[in-house]
Amino acid sequence: MDNKDLANLIFPDVKDYTYYEEKYKARNLPEGAIVTRFAPSPTGFVHIGGIYQSLIAKSMAKDDGIFFVRIEDTDQKREVEGGTKQILDALKDFDLSPDEYIDEDNVNHGEYGPYKQSLRKEIYQSYAKKLIEEGKAYPCFCTPEDLDKIRGDQEKAKERTGYFGKWTRCRNMPIDMAIDKIKNGDSYIVRFKSPGNPDKKIKHKDVIKGNVDFPENDQDIVIIKSDGLPTYHFAHAVDDHFMGTNLVIRGDEWLSSVPLHLQLFYVLGFKAPKYAHIGPMMKIDGEGKRKLSKRKDPESAVSYYKEEGIPKQSVLEYLMNIANSNFEIWRKQNPEKSMYEFPFDLKKMGVSGALFDMVKMLDVSKNVISRLSAEEVYNASLEWAKEYDEELAEILENKEYSLRVLGIERGNVKPRKDIAKWSDVKNIIYYMYPEKFDKNGEFEYQKVTDEDEITKIVKTYFEKYYNETDDKQIWFNKMKDLAEEFGYAREVKEYKANPDAYKGHVGDISTVIRVKLTGRCNTPDLYEIMKVLGKEELLKRV
Ligand code: GLU
């Protein structure tokens, strides 16, 4: 009996690995094209970090490379019904649809599938079989109790823990004995026989982290579990080999596994990909920083952005900002270009995790929305409202009027920047709708609070000065005349130079008119607002 018999006993039906080598031909891509992937587990929760990673992956793959998605569902306890669809939908929502993937009906799109690990069992097993035949992997019969015992002994002896070196009880088991045990129905898993020597170092050049040295791996890790499925490590090597990945972009929790992974690639006879390990997204919490957490931070869920109505473009632009901080300047210089034209550079990413700050994201979003036309803002708000805010949807039914409202201070050099998300829109435009505006509401005035004075100012303005057809210059001059008539400076400058000579300045007067007409101290341009509201409505409000 030899290793071949052992391999045949363990994997009687799997095809020879050469079958798969033949089937999955090397990709025919232009020189230098990047093949990279996003490899999530379908756990029912899509983290914003997944969008971040995919955005980076897509920016690297560009048009001549490939960005694919592989569903990593070998830990079937963690799998959630519909998990694959959720991931694909989230990517689609952010315009990050992959070039190759498997859909929710298990239909593969691309030549290198199946793109779901649970459907690739035979592929992993073909290589596990090869390793057993070559004496580079072996069945291990240690029970959880045995492993506990080993660990206990290691701790007592103050040694590092794991299945390595002299602790590998099943590594040197005679083949006949292993065969007998298997025939006897003993349960087992398959372990990799590590050739590593931890006294030696391996050098790793990470695209993001730079040069890192590690001791060689000597752990005989599990490659095939008792359910016949592979562990992450083994699946990673086999899949990224067959799928032609040449750049692995993944979370830096895997950085310490690099020595093992490089060893696996080497022993399997595969060319190793380049690795780019990205730090986790961080958030300020009190004095310090911590990881953006699924449990504590609603903004860690991709669904949050849809519910809040934060446009995908805002999220993507913000993520690009934190990935490459020079993006912000580039964006200012190239406001009209697609973000994929930005020369994204993995090397410019921070070694530690990027700080994820919602306030900054909303600022970016205000800029993004300020560049949209009234029609675009209208369509997006309406679409959001239909799902999340009935009242807003109702308000927006009057399209022609709403376009005028949303068009205020839009499309000019200094466009309005008050909308960060579609859920802001209702509050921002509410007062512009006669059926919603409560003219008897309790308004807060700023400087001028005396009711008689307010009434007089408003009355005088509408009786003496207001004229619907005035252009902006005349409108403004009249506001100054009104100020003067009431003892307020025509210019802020004049007031500041001589504050005792006036009750206030023209801004205080226009605020009175503004609050009276809108209920707000802060609004976009009052002249434009008055134009849109129209004379009849204005007079009703006063
Ligand atoms: N399924 C692994 C994870 O979610 C993938 C890591 C990788 O990209 O290789 O962490």
Side-chain angles (χ1 to χ4, degrees), residues 53 62 88 133 153 168 242 269 274 359 361 368 412 448 511:
Q53 237 185 63
K62 303 217 165 65
L88 294 173
E133 280 173 10
D153 291 348
T168 54
F242 279 123
K274 282 198 172 143
V359 175
M361 164 160 333
V368 167
N412 48 6
V448 188
T511 297

Side-chain angles (χ1 to χ4, degrees), residues 109-176:
H109 301 260
E111 300 292 305
Y112 293 83
Y115 298 90
K116 185 187 254 186
Q117 291 183 328
S118 57
L119 303 175
R120 302 173 61 80
K121 210 170 177 171
E122 292 79 23
I123 307 180
Y124 306 117
Q125 293 186 351
S126 75
Y127 260 103
K129 184 170 185 179
K130 174 177 190 277
L131 291 184
I132 295 175
E133 280 173 10
E134 293 171 348
K136 295 172 182 167
Y138 60 90
C140 169
F141 302 90
C142 287
T143 61
E145 295 76 40
D146 294 334
L147 297 176
D148 280 349
K149 168 98 178 44
I150 295 175
R151 173 184 292 269
D153 291 348
Q154 288 168 333
E155 280 167 0
K156 246 186 264 156
K158 297 214 171 359
E159 274 232 36
R160 67 195 158 93
T161 55
Y163 207 81
F164 64 96
K166 65 175 186 200
W167 305 95
T168 54
R169 293 224 312 227
C170 299
R171 185 191 250 237
N172 297 316
M173 183 181 289
I175 292 174
D176 288 349

Side-chain angles (χ1 to χ4, degrees), residues 52-53 203-214 247-258 274-282 291 345-354:
Y52 185 55
Q53 237 185 63
K203 284 190 189 309
H204 165 60
K205 188 164 188 220
D206 197 88
V207 185
I208 296 175
K209 305 271 178 186
N211 289 322
V212 221
D213 285 357
F214 293 102
L247 173 65
V248 168
I249 301 168
R250 64 182 179 187
D252 67 1
E253 68 273 23
W254 297 113
L255 182 64
S256 60
S257 302
V258 164
K274 282 198 172 143
Y275 287 98
H277 286 95
I278 42 186
M281 292 190 148
M282 306 297 285
K291 273 195 213 171
D345 186 355
L346 274 180
K347 293 197 183 68
K348 290 210 175 96
M349 285 186 71
V351 170
S352 53

